[in-house]
Amino acid sequence: MPNLSFVTPTRNSPWGTYLSQIDAVEPYLGKLARWVETLRRPKRALIVDIPIELDNGTIAHYEGFRVQHSLTRGPGKGGVRYHPDVTLEEVMALSAWMTIKNAAVNLPYGGAKGGIRLDPKQLSLKELEKVTRRYTSEIGIIIGPTQDIPAPDVNTNGQIMAWMMDTYSMNVGATATGVVTGKPIPLGGSLGRVAATGRGVFVVGREAMRRLNVPMEGARVAVQGFGNVGSVAAKMFAANGAKVVAVQDHTGTIHNDTGLDMQDLLDHVARVGGVAGFKGAEAIANEDFWDVKTDVLIPAALEGQITAERAKRLHTRIVLEGANGPTTPDGDAVLAERGIIVVPDVIANAGGVTVSYFEWVQDFSSFFWTEDEINVRLDKILIGAFKGIWETSEQHRIPLRTAAFTVACTRVLQAREERGLYP
Ligand code: NAD
């Protein structure tokens, strides 16, 4: 492990997970391996203090981050997460996975990510706006439409992107729609962006199922996380003939062997804020989620969920990673040993950043596409990228994750070599 004084990763922590993925890809990089060390450290990491006055008159301070892991292939690109467990180490790992993801689907971006260590559920809307605006001003010295373009991630959404866009625009004295993606449509957002990540999870999952001869009709699917990514993916699987038999979120776990009614569940979650208490299913213990018999298991919540212990219990054929970094290195090793195919995050959830790229292009050209055009282009990019990764995996007889890293790291390091080292 490189000796960075500002993080102390362990084997299964987020940055430790990323580093072990880089170790695995190194033998497949040929002469470009001489540059691999550049991937083991972020280019730039900014830590900011965010003081705000709360509604009750007290002053609260929050810790914020923006990490640009790589700007080799283009501007930084990656979401902003609001969560009480956010740390510099986590944001570093998420930024590095963005470098890999953007290169895996060949978008002209580097990789970046941001976060604020807070529980947004504890803040009023006004307080949330203040935190967002102050954070945007603080990281304003390194973001911009051609420098680094944030987007939504866990607990952030179109409203937060609107405040970010407005704050950045006020600071530079011009309306800069291209500074963030995932914006509401009236501010230069793109049709299809909200559903894009979940749609991509479905499209890539369907390709993997075809390759592995797993029929879609009647396929058993379980989803952890029923937010932006998990709910859209689940809905698309169900609409295409699969049965969503279990769903887990932060409120609990529900199970129905004959398949959950997706529209009823979506209505329930919109009404009460989580899956717990849904009438059309039985409640099961959270840990029992990992024992449910499935064909496709979709972790779509947070990282580090599929540990070695849980991997030993899974009854599934495919793990389709909607979340970023949901499988630990030890979990990965157990899944490989058991012959369970892992479709890695860097391709499975790349739909969101792909439509973010379309949004950015539309903002620059001030010419907007129809939702059909967006979806056709999205599917084409993801299907093409998955095919290349599948073939690399077969060629070297390596897991899909190492194949995706091989394709991506080769692109990043080729660009690195051609640019050369400054000065
Ligand atoms: P979200 O905030 O919309 O939803 C998160 C979901 O996870 C919620 O249903 C929540 O209840 C659930 N959850 C939280 N903690 C949990 C726990 N301990 N156990 C079980 N469930 C829990 O977030 P999202 O945008 O859907 O993101 C989910 C994952 O997908 C994250 O890893 C994120 O980085 C990744 N991702 C998101 C996007 C995007 O466009 N939103 C793109 C790529 C990857």
Side-chain angles (χ1 to χ4, degrees):
M1 274 187 197
N3 183 14
L4 300 176
S5 66
F6 47 91
V7 283
T8 44
T10 58
R11 176 169 158 78
N12 290 304
S13 69
W15 185 249
T17 298
Y18 167 73
L19 289 178
S20 84
Q21 293 164 350
I22 292 294
D23 291 346
V25 77
E26 198 171 340
Y28 304 100
L29 296 176
K31 287 187 176 152
L32 291 170
R34 71 184 279 253
W35 294 99
V36 76
E37 197 55 27
T38 57
L39 296 170
R40 292 197 174 102
R41 42 195 79 227
K43 174 182 175 61
R44 189 178 284 151
L46 181 62
I47 305 175
V48 298
D49 174 39
I50 307 161
I52 64 154
E53 185 176 1
L54 299 177
D55 295 346
N56 66 12
T58 58
I59 309 293
H61 289 259
Y62 300 96
E63 215 173 284
F65 307 95
R66 185 73 189 171
V67 177
Q68 295 171 343
H69 172 260
S70 169
L71 303 180
T72 302
R73 299 179 68 251
K77 185 92 196 78
V80 174
R81 177 174 295 195
Y82 289 180
H83 197 278
D85 298 336
V86 163
T87 59
L88 175 61
E89 191 207 315
E90 182 188 54
V91 179
M92 276 171 59
L94 291 166
S95 73
W97 285 321
M98 288 310 300
T99 302
I100 303 300
K101 189 181 306 181
N102 291 330
V105 285
N106 213 1
L107 305 179
Y109 290 132
K113 200 87 180 191
I116 307 180
R117 192 175 171 83
L118 58 68
D119 182 358
K121 293 179 189 76
Q122 305 296 322
L123 297 186
S124 69
L125 200 63
K126 200 70 218 158
E127 291 166 340
L128 203 58
E129 179 175 353
K130 283 186 192 171
V131 167
T132 302
R133 288 186 181 278
R134 182 62 187 251
Y135 169 71
T136 308
S137 278
E138 293 295 341
I139 66 165
I141 53 174
I142 61 169
I143 64 168
T146 58
Q147 290 160 281
D148 179 2
I149 306 110
D153 189 70
V154 175
N155 290 327
T156 58
N157 55 23
Q159 173 62 81
I160 287 174
M161 294 307 113
W163 291 328
M164 289 188 76
M165 176 273 201
D166 183 68
T167 303
Y168 181 87
S169 297
M170 287 298 125
N171 288 346
V172 299
T175 295
T177 53
V179 67
V180 289
T181 58
K183 298 179 295 295
I185 305 292
L187 303 182
S190 177
L191 295 169
R193 172 62 185 93
V194 174
T197 307
R199 181 185 176 88
V201 170
F202 168 73
V203 168
V204 171
R206 187 184 56 194
E207 292 306 297
M209 289 166 81
R210 275 198 193 130
R211 297 275 184 173
L212 295 163
N213 293 319
V214 179
M216 180 65 71
E217 193 58 41
R220 296 167 62 86
V221 176
V223 187
Q224 186 200 36
F226 204 65
N228 181 261
V229 179
S231 69
V232 175
K235 197 171 147 189
M236 288 194 72
F237 271 101
N240 282 275
K243 276 197 302 192
V244 179
V245 292
V247 174
Q248 176 177 95
D249 73 0
H250 71 286
T251 65
T253 307
I254 55 169
H255 176 249
N256 182 338
D257 213 51
T258 57
L260 295 152
D261 185 306
M262 279 299 111
Q263 199 50 55
D264 283 357
L265 182 58
L266 286 162
D267 293 345
H268 172 82
V269 172
R271 223 174 28 248
V272 307
V275 301
F278 179 59
K279 295 264 185 308
E282 52 163 347
I284 59 170
N286 283 340
E287 246 342 274
D288 294 348
F289 174 79
W290 307 102
D291 297 320
V292 174
K293 199 167 169 297
T294 56
D295 297 295
V296 182
L297 178 82
I298 309 176
L302 298 169
E303 54 270 7
Q305 296 298 301
I306 303 182
T307 57
E309 291 66 39
R310 286 175 177 166
K312 283 180 198 147
R313 293 162 53 184
L314 298 189
H315 296 277
T316 194
R317 298 195 54 191
I318 300 172
V319 170
L320 179 58
E321 294 187 333
N324 286 309
T327 310
T328 67
D330 290 345
D332 238 353
V334 173
L335 295 177
E337 204 174 283
R338 296 189 57 210
I340 296 173
I341 299 296
V342 179
V343 184
D345 46 9
V346 292
I347 175 72
N349 69 29
V353 72
T354 303
V355 176
S356 273
Y357 166 60
F358 296 162
E359 179 175 335
W360 182 73
V361 168
Q362 292 171 86
D363 287 339
F364 268 117
S365 60
S366 298
F367 180 74
F368 290 85
W369 311 347
T370 65
E371 189 158 357
D372 271 355
E373 284 174 300
I374 301 277
N375 288 338
V376 166
R377 289 179 204 241
L378 170 63
D379 293 4
K380 194 170 164 216
I381 287 182
L382 291 180
I383 291 168
F386 181 79
K387 180 170 181 281
I389 290 165
W390 184 274
E391 287 167 1
T392 303
S393 152
E394 289 204 316
Q395 185 195 340
H396 297 294
R397 296 176 183 278
I398 51 178
L400 286 171
R401 189 186 314 281
T402 311
F405 270 65
T406 302
V407 170
C409 294
T410 300
R411 286 191 180 128
V412 177
L413 299 181
Q414 243 160 17
R416 178 71 278 155
E417 180 156 271
E418 278 164 31
R419 284 181 68 158
L421 273 186
Y422 174 87

